Amino acid sequence: MTNDVSPRVLNLAWLPGDGIGREVTEAALAAMRAVAEPAGVALAVAEYPIGGAAFDATGDPFPAVTRDGVLAADAVLLGAVGGPAWDTLPPERRPERGLLRLRAALGGFANLRPVAVPDALVERSPLRPEIVRGTDMLIVRELLGGVYFGEPSFVTGDAPEREGVSTMRYQEVEIRRVAEVAFQWAERRRGRVTSIDKANVLAVSRLWRDVVSEVQRTRYPHVDLEHRYVDSAAMDLVLRPTDFDVVLTGNLFGDILSDLAATLPGSLGVLPSASVGGGGPGLFEPIHGSAPSIAGKGIANPMGTILSGALLFDDVGLPELAAALRRGVGAALGQGIVPADLGGTATTDAVARAVIDHATA
Ligand code: NAD
Ligand code: IPM
Ligand code: MN
């Protein structure tokens, strides 16, 4: 007998990392497998070390074995890195540096951080229901430039006269390529981009504003573009979140504003991310960190990682599997399966089981 539909194998590099990273990625992989297998998609998962765990094992937070493994994969699923045990290491050995090297190696310069408030969370949000209801924005954070990577970067001199320098730097090409991504998403969404900078003070932001305007004028005149200063935009993200569709911003502002936006659904634990645009495998990770104080307790919220799995499935052309995971998360919340960060009592495993039940129903 022949079978005309050959099963598809998806090669995933799995980087659990530190703290709650293993717990949340195990839950996400279970949910991903549960929706993939019935659809004839096999997940071939290879684990690689990253962050503090990689430093402990190899002396390097981003060892060559991990670099080779991720570059050969179809997609990369990451938990989180960092923790107090590694906070006093020299900068190049820190877990966070390993993460930045991973991102640079993969080349995904556009970090997509969707922020939505599902109906089931409207009443649980720390903000008033009428403010958060209907929130649906996409933060497009530039990920490989700005002050995270700008040179020079150093601390010099002797206490009490030391000096610290970091450099916020963008080249036109870096701004243009991430602006393109933001405008393309706006075309598929509600046709509006809010670009956030500090052009009233920073030279680098004046260039940012200029290049984003030029991209809009020359290539996306049908998309609305608004420029905002980061301070007042931060206030409006919380006061008027439904005004935002696509939010385009640089590396540092995007890091800060996306954690701020987590107040809308009520926790960092529910927000996913995808880092794309590098031409190779994408990187999928929740926006939260390693949450050291709850690591190992089995209570971390895996929803942000499961929804990162949905972004992964979208990226590799399996949108039905992505939709199943999103349906599973929405239904689990709707049924009151709520973990501690959102004010409930559901464990990581209980959340994963509920998501799987609903996603495969
Ligand atoms: P964090 O995101 O780890 O935690 C902030 C708060 O949110 C804590 O109260 C934590 O318990 C809670 N939280 C986060 N994720 C949660 C989840 N899934 N479920 C339930 N509660 C959750 O930020 P932090 O405490 O500032 O940083 C801790 C470490 O993580 C640091 O070493 C930092 O550098 C690192 N970090 C890594 C990443 C990453 O790997 N992408 C992101 C942010 C921070
Ligand atoms: C994130 C994190 C990282 C960042 C750190 C850990 C390097 O905060 O993914 O948001 O700043 O990008
Ligand atoms: Mn962050």
Side-chain angles (χ1 to χ4, degrees), residues 282-297:
L283 171 62
F284 302 86
E285 51 174 323
I287 80 160
H288 64 70
S290 58
S293 67
I294 59 164
K297 295 188 175 164

Side-chain angles (χ1 to χ4, degrees), residues 113 255 259 287:
R113 297 188 161 191
D255 178 47
D259 273 29
I287 80 160

Side-chain angles (χ1 to χ4, degrees), residues 44-322:
V45 178
E47 180 180 344
Y48 298 99
I50 183 88
F55 174 77
D56 289 347
T58 71
D60 183 348
F62 180 52
V65 63
T66 302
R67 184 192 169 88
D68 295 346
V70 297
L71 290 174
D74 296 322
V76 182
L77 183 73
L78 172 86
V81 301
W86 304 285
D87 278 346
T88 51
L89 288 172
E92 63 284 0
R93 305 217 170 136
R94 284 188 62 126
E96 293 83 355
R97 182 62 66 81
L99 177 59
L100 297 186
R101 286 168 57 205
L102 166 71
R103 289 173 176 171
L106 290 168
F109 56 82
N111 181 225
L112 312 177
R113 297 188 161 191
V115 180
V117 179
D119 290 342
L121 290 184
V122 167
E123 298 291 336
R124 287 184 176 270
S125 171
L127 298 160
R128 287 206 304 274
E130 63 271 26
I131 289 182
V132 299
R133 187 175 287 112
T135 295
D136 178 10
M137 72 179 85
L138 175 67
I139 298 176
V140 179
R141 169 191 178 194
E142 199 292 323
L143 199 65
L144 297 184
V147 72
Y148 275 58
F149 291 91
E151 294 291 344
S153 166
F154 59 84
V155 175
T156 186
D158 298 310
E161 293 182 347
R162 286 172 297 172
E163 183 180 17
V165 173
S166 291
T167 303
M168 193 183 283
R169 179 189 296 268
Y170 272 114
Q171 297 182 332
E172 281 202 37
V173 58
E174 296 173 300
I175 303 168
R176 198 169 283 123
R177 66 186 185 178
V178 75
E180 283 279 340
V181 172
F183 286 115
Q184 282 164 18
W185 274 101
E187 282 181 325
R188 277 176 271 156
R189 291 173 50 99
R190 302 195 302 280
R192 182 176 174 79
V193 170
T194 304
S195 177
I196 297 183
D197 61 39
K198 188 72 186 174
N200 48 350
V201 176
L202 301 178
V204 62
S205 284
R206 289 197 291 277
L207 178 67
W208 179 278
R209 196 171 272 222
D210 207 45
V211 173
V212 172
S213 290
E214 180 209 300
V215 172
Q216 188 265 350
R217 210 174 42 244
T218 56
R219 293 178 46 80
Y220 300 91
H222 48 287
V223 174
D224 283 341
L225 169 64
E226 176 191 36
H227 295 286
R228 294 289 309 270
Y229 298 130
V230 63
D231 46 0
S232 77
M235 181 183 70
D236 276 346
L237 270 181
V238 178
L239 288 184
R240 277 181 274 280
T242 55
D243 280 1
F244 295 89
D245 178 14
V246 175
V247 170
L248 167 64
T249 191
N251 207 342
L252 180 63
F253 298 154
D255 178 47
I256 297 166
L257 293 175
S258 54
D259 273 29
L260 177 65
T263 59
L264 302 165
S267 173
L268 278 176
V270 296
L271 295 188
S273 87
S275 303
V276 295
L283 171 62
F284 302 86
E285 51 174 323
I287 80 160
H288 64 70
S290 58
S293 67
I294 59 164
K297 295 188 175 164
I299 59 168
N301 187 346
M303 289 174 175
T305 318
I306 294 171
L307 295 173
S308 300
L311 294 172
L312 187 160
F313 281 142
D314 273 335
D315 186 60
V316 298
L318 296 166
E320 329 73 47
L321 304 190

